[in-house]
Amino acid sequence: MKKILLITTFIFLSINPLFSKDKKKEDWNIAKPEQKITNAEYSKITVQDLRVDKNDMGFVQKGAFNRYTLIQPVIPLEEQISNLFKEWVSPLPENNKELIIQIRDFYFSELTSGMSETGRFIFRATIFGGSDDQYFLLRKVDEVYNNSSIDVTLQLEREAGLLVSGIVQNAIRQQKPLNDVVYTFNDVTNFESLEKKNIPLYYATTYADGIYKDFQSFSQQKPTDKISEVKENGSTIKIYYLNEKQKKRSARGNYAAVYNGKPYINNGDEFVSLVKKGEDFYFYGYVPKKVSAGKQIGIGIATGVVTTLLTGGIGVAFIPTTENVLYEFRMDFLNGSFKPIEEVKKDKK
């Protein structure tokens, strides 16, 4: 990756108020329900927050100077949703059916560009319902709310609350599951591992050579184009294919590739090696030290300062320097996005 990418990053960081040391915090709560739910299917609820950092719910920008402000609710997210259930459902159904909501991602971010602000809220979850150790999958939640305007903060926070409450309300009333598969409570707890056993990419011992246009084709191991040429470029490779007119074209823009049985993930013009550890896939890239401390790495990705493969922007670097550090990124098994896990103290090969 060209060094100018890192230079651009540093210039951005030096002028962006998001990375100021003077960080504020703001409470956030899901709005209380205005009406009771009288036709609920469930008499109790369990909320499981499966996020790695339960205190990290992202940030917004406040005030005339767009001060970077952390979203940190006084009442934990699990408790908020549980309280909503208790306030909504009246009377309680005369059954022992339980609603289980597993929170997998819950994140606010806001970026100013010129005179416009862009706000984003991400909510990912899995929802089950059942009783007597027999549960059914009701919904896989993978929602992203985006809004751009002169001042998006209030609307972003309000719409995020409405989005979450709407999903929970619908689940409380939902009768029909997504499929007929029956899960025990232990299965629900280990749902991610069970799901991976049904995805070819995760259970395969060998991988099909070719180019994959998106995560869906990659996860199902169904290449969309054949590789015609590969050029090595240090720790990355460039991949080419022949179009319908038999002209050579770069594979940039495609999601992934497999070359000589080895999986790679796309990052702009180049592809970087994917490494499987245990049940998951990882890649390693360098990020500026200024965004590597604590939650700053997540902030960088959310704002496009340091980006993963699916967000565009200036990209993660693969050239080690004294100004950047090596980070480990993990691929999400549901949608193929990547998340920073931790700083790697020694280079990975």
Side-chain angles (χ1 to χ4, degrees):
M1 200 64 64
K2 296 180 179 179
K3 292 183 179 180
I4 190 170
L5 299 182
L6 288 175
I7 296 172
T8 304
T9 302
F10 296 137
I11 294 173
F12 183 95
L13 293 175
S14 66
I15 62 175
N16 199 306
L18 290 177
F19 300 92
S20 167
K21 294 182 180 179
D22 185 17
K23 302 178 183 68
K24 300 295 183 180
K25 298 178 182 179
E26 178 172 89
D27 188 19
W28 180 85
N29 293 280
I30 303 172
K32 292 185 177 181
E34 296 180 357
Q35 295 181 336
K36 298 289 185 179
I37 296 177
T38 58
N39 57 342
E41 288 290 317
Y42 304 92
S43 59
K44 54 185 175 180
I45 188 172
T46 296
V47 184
Q48 302 172 341
D49 192 342
L50 304 183
R51 295 174 298 151
V52 175
D53 186 349
K54 296 176 177 58
N55 295 317
D56 184 10
M57 286 177 55
F59 64 96
V60 292
Q61 298 180 87
K62 305 288 287 188
F65 297 99
N66 287 325
R67 187 185 300 275
Y68 162 43
T69 304
L70 292 172
I71 298 290
Q72 291 193 351
V74 174
I75 301 175
L77 190 55
E78 307 106 298
E79 189 175 340
Q80 287 195 41
I81 296 177
S82 295
N83 290 341
L84 284 175
F85 180 89
K86 296 173 184 177
E87 294 185 34
W88 266 329
V89 181
S90 179
L92 285 173
E94 294 181 358
N95 61 39
N96 64 341
K97 291 176 68 176
E98 179 183 19
L99 187 70
I100 300 177
I101 299 179
Q102 297 178 331
I103 303 169
R104 298 184 176 277
D105 205 354
F106 199 100
Y107 201 83
F108 292 87
S109 63
E110 191 176 325
L111 177 66
T112 299
S113 178
M115 296 298 294
S116 178
E117 294 180 352
T118 301
R120 170 174 288 192
F121 171 67
I122 298 172
F123 179 41
R124 296 183 57 248
T126 43
I127 304 177
F128 299 85
S131 61
D132 300 323
D133 209 31
Q134 293 187 329
Y135 296 89
F136 296 89
L137 178 63
L138 300 180
R139 181 172 177 180
K140 293 179 181 179
V141 180
D142 191 0
E143 297 285 342
V144 178
Y145 169 78
N146 289 289
N147 185 39
S148 296
S149 65
I150 297 177
D151 186 357
V152 303
T153 304
L154 291 177
Q155 185 172 353
L156 176 65
E157 294 179 348
R158 181 178 63 253
E159 293 298 325
L162 291 174
L163 175 65
V164 175
S165 63
I167 288 171
V168 175
Q169 286 185 68
N170 289 335
I172 291 172
R173 298 187 180 98
Q174 187 169 340
Q175 296 178 335
K176 188 177 180 180
L178 286 182
N179 52 50
D180 296 326
V181 179
V182 180
Y183 300 91
T184 65
F185 186 80
N186 186 61
D187 291 336
V188 172
T189 303
N190 297 285
F191 179 69
E192 185 169 318
S193 294
L194 290 176
E195 283 285 278
K196 289 173 182 174
K197 292 179 181 179
N198 297 318
I199 302 174
L201 175 65
Y202 284 87
Y203 66 67
T205 55
T206 59
Y207 308 107
D209 276 16
I211 298 168
Y212 300 83
K213 67 177 182 179
D214 51 29
F215 175 69
Q216 178 65 20
S217 60
F218 188 48
S219 66
Q220 296 302 310
Q221 280 296 280
K222 295 181 179 180
T224 49
D225 278 297
K226 293 181 179 180
I227 295 173
S228 66
E229 184 180 346
V230 172
K231 293 182 180 179
E232 295 188 7
N233 186 26
S235 59
T236 63
I237 61 174
K238 290 188 176 182
I239 296 176
Y240 301 87
Y241 68 98
L242 298 178
N243 65 9
E244 62 279 1
K245 296 181 180 180
Q246 297 301 297
K247 291 185 177 181
K248 186 174 75 172
R249 293 288 183 265
S250 170
R252 63 170 301 171
N254 287 277
Y255 178 81
V258 175
Y259 176 60
N260 288 339
K262 185 176 180 180
Y264 292 83
I265 202 75
N266 177 247
N267 192 66
D269 288 333
E270 301 166 308
F271 287 75
V272 60
S273 176
L274 273 180
V275 178
K276 189 175 185 183
K277 295 193 305 178
E279 296 182 337
D280 289 296
F281 289 89
Y282 300 79
F283 84 91
Y284 300 87
Y286 291 90
V287 301
K289 288 182 179 179
K290 288 186 178 182
V291 295
S292 67
K295 298 180 179 63
Q296 298 289 2
I297 180 70
I299 293 164
I301 288 178
T303 59
V305 178
V306 178
T307 62
T308 58
L309 331 177
L310 306 180
T311 58
I314 64 172
V316 176
F318 297 96
I319 303 172
T321 74
T322 58
E323 299 300 328
N324 57 30
V325 294
L326 187 66
Y327 246 82
E328 180 179 64
F329 295 81
R330 182 175 63 200
M331 185 171 70
D332 187 286
F333 81 103
L334 287 177
N335 62 11
S337 61
F338 280 81
K339 287 191 174 182
I341 302 301
E342 62 181 355
E343 181 183 340
V344 181
K345 300 303 180 182
K346 293 183 179 180
D347 288 6
K348 298 279 185 178
K349 294 183 179 180

